[in-house]
Structures are given as C-alpha cells and as structure tokens.
Amino acid sequence: MTHSALLNIDVQRSFEHKDFWQQNDLPAFSAALTRLIDGCQTRNVPVIDVFHVNPDGVFSLDSGLVTPMSFLSHQPQHVVHKHVHNSLTESGLDGWLRENGITHLIIAGMRTEQCCETTARVASDLGYTVTFVTEATLTFPMTHASGITLSAQDIKLRTELVLADRFATISDVTGALAELDRAV
C-alpha cells in the first residue's frame, strides 16, 4: 500500500460561473491534471476529490454545480466537502488520511494561491510531506488595490516561491510521478 494520496482540490463546475473565470489556461491545466490523476491511479495512489461548498450561490450544493468539471472522468477513492480554504480543517479528510496510513500529499487543483496553497501549508504544519504540482493547478489574474495586476503565471511563481523548501516540494507532473516510482 502506498503512503501517498493525490488531493484534487476544487476542480468543480462552480468556478465556470464566476466573473473571473477564463478558459485561457484550461487546456494545459486539464491535460496536466488528467496525466497526474491517471499516473496516480496506475500506481495505486488514491485520488481524493475535494469540493468547496458554501451555503448559497454557485458553490452551494443546491446550485448543482458542486460537481467535477467535464474533462474529469476518474473515480475518486474518497470525496470530501470543505467550507474553508484548506482541505483538512473540518472536512474529515485529515482523519481519513491518517486511518489509511497516508503521510505524503500531492496537491493539485484550483485555485493555486488560495485553496491549493493553503492546503499545502496546513498539511505541512500537520506533519504531512507535501508535493505541490504547480503544472496541475489553475488560477486567474488578480488585481491588487494599487492597480497592479498579476498574471496567473506571476501568481503561480509567487506561490512556488513561498512554498518551496518551507511547506512543499515543487514539482511538475513528470517529477511527481517519478517521485512516486522511486518511493516504491
């Protein structure tokens, strides 16, 4: 049994209905995430789908949009709903991971600098080894109060900068799968 699990965070249709939604980076993201999921499943690494749920709006269960994006076709080994930015607080996921002997988390999903980065930080603080697969994360440009806009790529670089060697190992899909092969 592997001691690793892939967290597929917030890759849900809810985002397609937000005003900041852009499809520019979606093809590369969906290809990378699909490769990562397929690679993990081939290696018997559990894939956990995490969905963000709010009481109302497009992230509410009543909206019908808290479902996987259309490009996803995998069957997750576990599904959790979260109500905060990180995937481990109040979702029951931490307990499930510990019960299943998981000590290494591979982080992918949406949004790079929010739920993915926050999950990586909390996971590290809880004692998990974390691999952050930036290539398999998606985010969108953001404008600072000063009027400066950071591109999605700028935000990803910033996230890598603050996580690397502190909270996570930064990787691409090929490197994350190679790390799993070395761990066997």
Side-chain angles (χ1 to χ4, degrees):
M1 161 131 187
T2 181
H3 295 287
S4 299
L6 169 61
L7 301 186
N8 177 36
I9 301 171
D10 297 349
V11 185
Q12 61 194 74
R13 293 182 40 235
S14 309
F15 279 105
E16 297 168 342
H17 299 271
K18 297 298 287 179
D19 59 354
F20 55 77
W21 174 254
Q22 297 179 8
Q23 296 206 54
N24 308 9
D25 298 329
L26 186 62
F29 165 69
S30 62
L33 183 58
T34 300
R35 265 184 48 234
L36 183 60
I37 290 170
D38 291 348
C40 284
Q41 290 187 317
T42 297
R43 291 162 176 83
N44 295 314
V45 171
V47 176
I48 294 110
D49 282 358
V50 178
F51 294 104
H52 191 90
V53 176
N54 286 337
D56 53 304
V58 298
F59 286 89
S60 73
L61 293 174
D62 291 340
S63 74
L65 300 171
V66 181
T67 60
M69 288 190 158
S70 62
F71 70 87
L72 293 172
S73 61
H74 68 284
Q75 291 299 315
Q77 281 69 32
H78 191 59
V79 175
V80 297
H81 291 166
K82 65 181 183 62
H83 306 281
V84 296
H85 289 99
N86 83 81
S87 301
L88 298 160
T89 302
E90 300 176 2
S91 66
L93 180 57
D94 183 44
W96 186 91
L97 294 167
R98 293 186 191 284
E99 287 170 16
N100 286 278
I102 305 298
T103 57
H104 171 234
L105 300 179
I106 303 163
I107 307 286
M110 295 174 55
R111 295 179 60 180
T112 309
E113 78 292 349
Q114 290 184 35
C115 297
C116 295
E117 179 181 330
T118 306
T119 297
R121 288 172 179 262
V122 171
S124 175
D125 284 350
L126 291 174
Y128 293 96
T129 301
V130 178
T131 301
F132 193 90
V133 187
T134 314
E135 177 185 20
T137 68
L138 181 68
T139 198
F140 310 96
M142 294 175 71
T143 302
H144 186 268
S146 68
I148 296 171
T149 298
L150 295 179
S151 69
Q153 187 57 33
D154 290 338
I155 293 168
K156 285 184 169 193
L157 288 172
R158 177 236 160 251
T159 297
E160 289 180 346
L161 174 68
V162 298
L163 290 179
D165 301 324
R166 293 172 190 85
F167 300 98
T169 298
I170 307 302
S171 186
D172 60 9
V173 172
T174 300
L177 295 176
E179 179 183 356
L180 290 172
D181 291 339
R182 286 190 298 274
V184 207

